[in-house]
Amino acid sequence: MERIKPDELDHRFDDFEMLMRLHFILRPDVVDFVEELSVRLRSIKTQTKSISSVSRGTAGGRIDWHGTIQERYSRNPRDKALFVCEHRSENYDIEENLVLKALLSLIYHTLEECSRYFERDYEWVTDRWKDNLDLVEMMTNIFERNVHVRRIRQPREYEPTDRMIERSATSRQEIYREAAKLLSRYRETVAGDADALRELLEQTAITPSDDETLFELYVLFRYVSAIENLSDEEFTLRTIESGSQEVARLTSEENDEQVVLYHDNSARDRDVSFISNIFDKSEASLSRTERIHREAQEIADAYFTEEEFRIATGRPDVIVLEVQQGQQYKYLITEIKYSERPETIRAGIKETLEYLAFLRQDGELVHDEPDIFGSGWSGVLVIQDLPEAKTAAIEDQRYIRILQASEVENQLQTILQRLL
């Protein structure tokens, strides 16, 4: 079955349901529900059925004499060894239990798929799921080994129905009422119900612990908004992860164009790097400044024997916008400095120029001589507002464009128009 997504989102959000499931298991009431499971499961309901069976020679249960006489008469009236016996059997597959099993299955499989977040010990996970008790392990043991849960069959594709959930919501037992409430709320969330989404985000929103990261994310999504304002197409948004995943992608079949947005140092699968060419030069051709940079790098690499301590990553923490038109590539590099200090801004200007000068695609420098910094609209530095300082207008700036925080929303579109 196709993933359930709100109709108005269409294919805009990659893996929308997975993102909703991750937030769902972070809900405080879901965590509370799991904490109390082991006790509550002892009192789940079953239906008792009487099952009749025909045996010969031995009675496997209570003998149904009326049934036995009828069975003997229909087969062989003289057969005194034939008995119809009844024995009682517990049926776990009642409606309330199917609702419960559906909820437990949702939580269990989401925990499995999100295991990488637990392994990294993110605070927003451990605060909910590992506070005094390893709830993940407990939930796993319950789903895989608890005799009551195992006896409930897995709900079919169309189960539990809305009617099953409604009946469970009026059950006398709290475990069923809460299971119905949580499962119903989850379905509303995945279906894009505004109130359900708002409630989920209010309870589980994860915000960066530092203002610098929050500022970077603000700029990142201003890019998404500005590009969409310039295009008839919409970005496909992806969950931000470390590694090689891009944040957003826009594809135009009309002019064979792709626009890909990356955050942080995650552009590795696009063969994008920012490596200086000083290692390609002979020592005699190096200027004093270049020699200092090269020797500092080589000394550091020789001193730190473990790879993680080396500083030569070739990928700075920047926002990279890549525009591909056929076989041609264009880039917009954005450095962000959450600061209003002149010395920090000067450092940001230098770093942005270095990124432009050493930007490489497939190992080849993107900007050739004499325009080693690109068109003049290929680099952006975003800083905090400078209310007391007099600064040059964006059109009067050279090589890169410096935007204060309050200018991003309006001026970013002007910069993008030059690129797109």
Side-chain angles (χ1 to χ4, degrees):
M1 186 178 71
E2 291 185 357
R3 286 176 179 161
I4 303 171
K5 297 183 182 179
D7 292 338
E8 61 272 21
L9 291 181
D10 193 26
H11 300 292
R12 177 165 166 73
F13 288 85
D14 179 76
D15 223 358
F16 173 80
E17 187 179 355
M18 177 60 197
L19 186 61
M20 290 300 98
R21 291 206 308 270
L22 172 58
H23 277 273
F24 178 73
I25 64 171
L26 293 176
R27 288 179 59 123
D29 47 3
V30 171
V31 177
D32 292 342
F33 183 83
V34 173
E35 282 184 326
E36 299 174 9
L37 257 182
S38 55
V39 175
R40 288 178 168 179
L41 283 173
R42 299 170 189 167
S43 60
I44 66 172
K45 292 168 56 178
T46 59
Q47 286 180 338
T48 303
K49 288 184 177 180
S50 293
I51 300 176
S52 297
S53 62
V54 178
S55 60
R56 184 177 297 280
T58 58
R62 187 178 69 83
I63 299 175
D64 177 4
W65 286 109
H66 178 72
T68 297
I69 293 171
Q70 285 187 325
E71 190 68 25
R72 288 177 180 177
Y73 182 78
S74 64
R75 296 190 184 192
N76 182 358
R78 298 179 180 180
D79 188 355
K80 303 299 184 182
L82 186 148
F83 297 95
V84 174
C85 301
E86 288 185 350
H87 58 87
R88 302 170 73 83
S89 174
E90 282 190 310
N91 175 30
Y92 280 79
D93 299 335
I94 61 174
E95 290 184 342
E96 292 96 327
N97 285 342
L98 291 177
V99 171
L100 175 63
K101 185 66 174 272
L103 176 64
L104 296 182
S105 181
L106 170 65
I107 298 172
Y108 170 78
H109 290 296
T110 302
L111 290 173
E112 270 194 327
E113 294 178 32
C114 296
S115 59
R116 61 187 181 277
Y117 300 119
F118 294 93
E119 292 167 359
R120 294 172 187 169
D121 283 334
Y122 290 126
E123 287 185 8
W124 51 268
V125 172
T126 55
D127 285 351
R128 298 274 170 97
W129 281 90
K130 290 189 176 181
D131 187 14
N132 303 321
L133 178 67
D134 192 341
L135 286 180
V136 177
E137 184 177 350
M138 189 191 84
M139 179 65 209
T140 301
N141 288 335
I142 286 176
F143 193 82
E144 294 178 354
R145 299 182 179 89
N146 183 276
V147 63
H148 300 298
V149 175
R150 286 174 59 85
R151 287 178 179 175
I152 306 171
R153 66 171 172 81
Q154 192 64 27
R156 299 185 179 92
E157 185 177 345
Y158 60 87
E159 294 176 328
T161 63
D162 292 341
R163 188 174 180 180
M164 290 178 178
I165 295 176
E166 289 172 5
R167 288 181 176 176
S168 298
T170 59
S171 172
R172 293 182 179 179
Q173 292 184 235
E174 191 173 13
I175 186 173
Y176 296 128
R177 295 198 304 271
E178 289 193 14
K181 176 185 174 183
L182 291 174
L183 191 59
S184 177
R185 209 54 175 161
Y186 168 75
R187 288 186 171 184
E188 291 169 354
T189 302
V190 177
D193 179 82
D195 291 336
L197 284 169
R198 188 178 298 108
E199 177 190 76
L200 183 69
L201 292 177
E202 286 174 353
Q203 294 183 357
T204 65
I206 304 161
T207 57
S209 57
D210 59 286
D211 293 337
E212 291 82 358
T213 303
L214 193 61
F215 189 47
E216 285 185 17
L217 292 176
Y218 164 73
V219 176
L220 181 70
F221 286 101
R222 289 318 312 167
Y223 266 97
V224 173
S225 177
I227 293 172
E228 288 185 339
N229 288 338
L230 295 172
S231 172
D232 294 332
E233 308 291 335
E234 284 187 334
F235 266 125
T236 298
L237 299 178
R238 295 179 180 271
T239 305
I240 298 177
E241 297 182 357
S242 61
S244 60
Q245 291 261 8
E246 71 260 16
V247 173
R249 176 186 294 269
L250 182 149
T251 302
S252 175
E253 297 180 358
E254 183 178 337
N255 55 9
D256 190 26
E257 181 179 79
Q258 282 195 67
V259 178
V260 185
L261 189 65
Y262 296 94
H263 178 239
D264 206 354
N265 60 355
S266 59
R268 63 190 65 185
D269 66 337
R270 308 294 289 187
D271 294 318
V272 174
S273 61
F274 302 84
I275 302 174
S276 169
N277 61 351
I278 59 175
F279 293 95
D280 301 329
K281 295 181 179 181
S282 65
E283 186 170 322
S285 64
L286 293 174
S287 67
R288 284 177 179 261
T289 302
E290 288 176 331
R291 186 173 177 186
I292 291 171
H293 281 304
R294 188 166 84 171
E295 291 300 330
Q297 186 65 70
E298 291 182 344
I299 290 171
D301 286 350
Y303 179 73
F304 293 108
T305 57
E306 292 185 39
E307 186 68 28
E308 63 180 294
F309 289 101
R310 296 186 177 186
I311 61 174
T313 64
R315 296 184 181 90
D317 294 346
V318 295
I319 293 174
V320 179
L321 182 68
E322 177 186 85
V323 180
Q324 179 184 0
Q325 295 173 322
Q327 299 301 314
Q328 300 296 317
Y329 290 86
K330 292 187 291 185
Y331 292 92
L332 179 61
I333 309 301
T334 303
E335 168 70 7
I336 300 171
K337 294 294 184 185
Y338 185 70
S339 176
E340 56 186 28
R341 298 171 62 218
E343 55 269 34
T344 303
I345 296 171
R346 291 179 188 276
I349 293 171
K350 178 176 177 291
E351 290 169 9
T352 307
L353 289 173
E354 287 178 342
Y355 300 152
L356 292 173
F358 299 129
L359 174 63
R360 295 173 184 266
Q361 166 68 30
D362 288 329
E364 298 294 327
L365 288 169
V366 172
H367 302 133
D368 297 323
E369 298 282 359
D371 300 321
I372 64 171
F373 304 122
S375 65
W377 295 83
S378 302
V380 177
L381 173 64
V382 181
I383 61 175
Q384 283 187 293
D385 284 340
L386 305 174
E388 304 299 327
K390 293 182 178 181
T391 57
I394 187 172
E395 294 82 5
D396 300 331
Q397 297 173 23
R398 185 182 179 192
Y399 292 133
I400 66 172
R401 307 298 146 174
I402 304 174
L403 297 182
Q404 298 179 39
S406 59
E407 298 174 325
V408 170
E409 187 165 356
N410 295 326
Q411 297 292 357
L412 195 55
Q413 195 157 318
T414 301
I415 297 172
L416 289 170
Q417 284 176 323
R418 299 285 186 130
L419 185 72
L420 303 176

